[in-house]
Amino acid sequence: MRKIKNPWLQKEGYHCFGCCPDNPAGVHMEFFEDGDEVVCFWLPQAHFQGWVDTLHGGIQSTLIDEIASWVVFRKLQTTGVTNKLEVKFMKPIMTTENQITLRARLVEMKRQVAFIEVKVYNSQEELCTEGKAVYFTANQEKAREMGFSTCELEGEELLF
């Protein structure tokens, strides 16, 4: 497993709610590549709750949408936009968890459309939420116009 470099860090105007480390209101996600999957380890916090001590479904949906976009960046080496997001909540995720794990992978490509599957696990490794994202991906010329050049890995292999 290796950390994925954030390709947007030097982009003027970059303030993504999902992955910008400097957005004070954001969720500050970081991503790793583990074989065919993109992985995120994330710490829930009380200010992201819906019901008492329960992670808000909208925040879970945001996490799923964000990691799906990183599958596009890393695995397809381009950018794109969300066309459809489907979320299935199966078990509550508590804001008191010491960590949740998101795992995403490309399931299918049809022309410029990516179909991505996301699974969210609590700290006991129980599957809590599933997501299916559909992304319209940009061709290389459009991706460059949007400021995307490449999404690389950094550092040495990490063992978890």
Side-chain angles (χ1 to χ4, degrees):
M1 185 175 311
R2 288 179 62 194
K3 187 169 192 223
I4 301 172
K5 289 183 185 178
N6 187 327
W8 307 109
L9 287 178
Q10 305 308 316
K11 174 97 173 122
E12 187 175 332
Y14 168 63
H15 208 62
C16 178
F17 180 78
C19 64
C20 180
D22 300 323
N23 183 335
V27 293
H28 307 137
M29 296 173 77
E30 293 184 326
F31 302 93
F32 300 84
E33 183 176 69
D34 187 17
D36 291 338
E37 294 183 319
V38 172
V39 180
C40 175
F41 305 102
W42 190 75
L43 175 64
Q45 297 171 29
H47 62 274
F48 292 126
Q49 75 175 346
W51 180 245
V52 177
D53 291 336
T54 305
L55 188 60
H56 193 284
I59 296 296
Q60 291 184 58
S61 299
T62 297
L63 299 173
I64 289 168
D65 185 35
E66 186 68 21
I67 196 171
S69 71
W70 280 72
V71 169
V72 172
F73 303 154
R74 177 64 194 149
K75 297 301 186 179
L76 302 177
Q77 291 295 309
T78 190
T79 189
V81 294
T82 310
N83 169 254
K84 182 178 179 181
L85 183 65
E86 183 178 309
V87 180
K88 181 179 179 184
F89 303 101
M90 300 173 305
K91 180 178 176 69
I93 296 175
M94 308 315 290
T95 56
T96 55
E97 292 280 345
N98 60 4
Q99 174 180 284
I100 64 171
T101 303
L102 294 95
R103 293 188 163 273
R105 67 182 184 87
L106 179 67
V107 175
E108 183 179 6
M109 277 297 295
K110 290 185 180 177
R111 296 185 185 200
Q112 296 285 125
V113 181
F115 297 83
I116 300 161
E117 173 186 87
V118 180
K119 296 187 179 201
V120 185
Y121 301 89
N122 63 18
S123 59
Q124 291 78 43
E125 299 182 17
E126 298 169 317
L127 179 62
C128 297
T129 309
E130 290 181 325
K132 293 179 182 176
V134 179
Y135 267 74
F136 287 139
T137 63
N139 62 37
Q140 294 304 309
E141 181 181 337
K142 182 64 175 172
R144 280 190 300 278
E145 287 174 18
M146 296 173 73
F148 181 86
S149 59
T150 186
C151 184
E152 301 298 328
L153 299 174
E154 67 179 52
E156 299 294 317
E157 179 127 359
L158 304 172
L159 303 175
F160 286 91

